[in-house]
Amino acid sequence: MTAGSAPEGFARSLLRTKPVDLIVAEGGHGEGGELRRTMSLLQLTLFSVGATLGTGIFVVLGEAVPLAGPAVVLSFVLAAVTALFSALSYAELAGTIPVSGSSYSYAYATLGELVAWVCGWCLLLEYAVSVSAVAVGWGSYLNAFLDGAAGFTIPAQVSNPPGEGGLVNVPAVIVVLFATVLLLRGTSESAAANTVMVFLKIGVLLFFCAIAFTAFRAGNMAPFAPMGWAGISAAGSKVFFSYIGFDAASTAGEEARNPRRDLPLAIIFSLAIVTALYVLVGLAAVGAMHWTRFSLSGSEASLAQVLDSVSGRAWPSVVLSLGAVIAIASVVLTVMYGQTRILFAMSRDGLVPHVFQKVSPRRRVPVANTVIVAAFIALLAAVIPLGRLVDATSIGTLFAFALVSVGVIILRRTRPELPRSFRAPLYPVTPLLGIALCVYLMVGLGGVTWTVFAIWTAVGLAAYFLYGRRHSRLAARNAGPIGGSPHE
């Protein structure tokens, strides 16, 4: 290799792609054992519902309503349409590349190693930070339940993070530990527990709607969009956080019984279920309590406050809060699961330390991986306020979603012969709209959020060049200099 060709070789090394056949062949295999295929279509669907449903309605609604007013219902629809186009792309790639890495693996097969790393790095932000944010909201509902049922709350010093009147958020740490114990018991046990919690969560939200609609007042819906389209769009960027998780089924590709058939169906079914419930609950909430009162609440437990306001009795909000305490735990459980499986795939490729791909021969789960992720998430949840977590998660997720849509276009062109159990309809309009809407919502996020994202990306690039690129198994497999092409 000449001096003049060295830069070209370096650039080509960043774009080396991992063959789809190799990615699929490695599915389920880890260091010391293999993952067990136990998850059915129902469990996969409820895994995605469990990871999604509750994140926005139980936690973020109180922050979104002051931005859009009653038109927050349209904000949920805007975010849902954005999620839908991304979901169609996810469904196609999940049926084509049914492995645990989700959009990280899809990017590795289509856009190259560097982009895959950045995508995986953004997924770390999406999953870890969203779990932490939900854990913070879980503590608010725990206090609401304790206040209504027993007349006391956990002191602010140990139930709020620094900057919000506390020292450490102990309830948030507790729910993370609860999820960790379930995940360490095994995938089938975690899926069974999640199924129970999801049905409970849906029941609680329907219970809320039944009571809130009895107090529905048409006057509360006027003015419908007090801040105009700008407010709807800004709230849409924020409530997009509530759709994070519909892709959770794609992280279970190596533990699904029939992944090529079930993964695309689970992704589409779960998005349909949560969208219908979000719009219904959002409409019930703003119809029952005037939108200006949401900004005065000062708490993430907004649905409980709606019931307090409209019923004049304590027991409805107590029931809702108890249901939320149990049900939001399913979000923590399923999103933590997704986080560990993405790290599992990245570790198998050598881009993160090999400890993350070690599988317990007895439990058939990545034990060390789960414990490390749990410790990191618990630390974030204990000391970081909710609002900062939500926006940081949304921008990382939107970036990853856009990459998945790009991946569909590339794989259709480069590997048209691959078997696809699902094809995104109206191609290429669908992935192109997915990209455009993701970029649009990213633009709607604040400058501070972009600064955090830029810093996070810079740290990720440094980690890649200092560790990931040097330990890439694909580079070693290509049997050439690390700057070489995968086809050399």
Side-chain angles (χ1 to χ4, degrees), residues 141 144-150 207 304 307-308 313-325:
Y141 273 99
F145 167 70
L146 292 175
D147 186 32
F207 166 79
L307 291 186
D308 282 339
R313 292 170 289 178
W315 70 266
S317 62
V318 171
V319 171
L320 179 83
S321 297
L322 176 60
V325 165

Side-chain angles (χ1 to χ4, degrees), residues 172-205:
V173 175
I174 291 174
V175 73
V176 171
L177 293 179
F178 166 75
T180 303
V181 171
L182 281 176
L183 289 173
L184 291 177
R185 287 180 60 85
T187 300
S188 59
E189 292 83 355
S190 299
N194 176 68
T195 298
V196 173
M197 289 189 284
V198 168
F199 280 121
L200 174 60
K201 179 160 39 180
I202 292 174
V204 166
L205 290 175

Side-chain angles (χ1 to χ4, degrees), residues 25 33 51 68 79 84 95 134 202 206 218 230 279 284 289 306 399 411 416 418 453:
L84 173 62
V134 175
I202 292 174
L206 293 177
V279 172
M289 188 171 80
V306 170
F399 179 75
L411 204 60
L418 283 175
F453 180 64

Side-chain angles (χ1 to χ4, degrees), residues 27-52:
H29 300 286
E31 183 177 320
E34 296 184 6
L35 303 177
R36 182 183 290 118
R37 294 191 179 275
T38 61
M39 298 182 70
S40 65
L41 173 59
L42 175 63
Q43 289 176 320
L44 288 168
T45 301
L46 294 183
F47 230 71
S48 286
V49 173
T52 312

